[in-house]
Amino acid sequence: MTQSSKPIPKVPPLIARALRVMPLAPLSMSLTAYSKRVATHHPSLFRRLGEHDHARFVLDPTDLPFAIELEPNGGVPRIKVVRGQGAGDARIAGPIAALLGLVHGAFDGDALFFSRDLLIEGDTSAALALRNAVDDAELDLSEEITQLTGPLAKPLQRAFAFLERRTGVYLTRPEEAEAW
């Protein structure tokens, strides 16, 4: 796992405030469609959840004005973006950069938890099952997106790399994971 001593980047408050007026229904529908694509390409992700494959997970990016409710639904996931903290069986909260870094294997979940950059509430066994399933799947969310874009894949990959360098947020899986 890559972990630097730099603080985890946070979304600037001005951008977070601007996102308050964003309609959530289109984002919910887009993320649900995207999660179904991920489920198709990584079916083991949902099988690995075991008894928690119908739990509701709240992913709460604390620096954004909304939370993401994820229902794995036995491999047919549904996502609902809500204002506030959301409601579910397990809540995982932290800056969006920390949450993306976890998904991409760039941060160690235990280190984030003990440094208080990550908060876990509710059913911790469900949260641990989700973490293990995501770790095992070795997801690269940007790669999943670029596979949808056909001839625009290369420019989009360059855009993700540029944004990653400029913001310090892991938008892709690090090529060389370093032990820290």
Side-chain angles (χ1 to χ4, degrees), residues 1-9 97-99 101-102 104-118 168 170 174 176-180:
M1 300 259 164
T2 300
Q3 182 90 21
S4 73
S5 58
K6 296 181 201 174
I8 294 173
L99 298 174
L102 279 171
H104 290 120
F107 293 135
D108 179 88
D110 293 336
L112 289 175
F113 177 76
F114 289 114
S115 68
R116 299 181 186 212
D117 288 311
L118 190 69
Y170 287 95
E176 296 179 27
E178 303 169 17
W180 63 278

Side-chain angles (χ1 to χ4, degrees), residues 74-99:
V76 185
R78 286 188 301 250
I79 291 182
K80 183 177 180 184
V81 181
V82 298
R83 303 270 182 226
Q85 291 186 356
D89 300 305
R91 178 174 169 257
I92 303 167
I96 188 69
L99 298 174

Side-chain angles (χ1 to χ4, degrees), residues 48-92:
R48 178 99 195 252
L49 289 172
E51 66 184 76
H52 304 289
D53 70 340
H54 282 82
R56 183 183 306 171
F57 299 93
V58 176
L59 308 174
D60 184 1
T62 55
D63 50 347
L64 293 177
F66 53 78
I68 301 163
E69 294 176 351
L70 164 64
E71 292 182 59
N73 200 27
V76 185
R78 286 188 301 250
I79 291 182
K80 183 177 180 184
V81 181
V82 298
R83 303 270 182 226
Q85 291 186 356
D89 300 305
R91 178 174 169 257
I92 303 167

Side-chain angles (χ1 to χ4, degrees), residues 10-33:
K10 296 200 174 41
V11 172
L14 183 62
I15 293 173
R17 277 193 297 275
L19 292 174
R20 286 185 191 157
V21 298
M22 178 178 65
L24 300 183
L27 184 57
S28 294
M29 290 186 300
S30 298
L31 288 174
T32 294

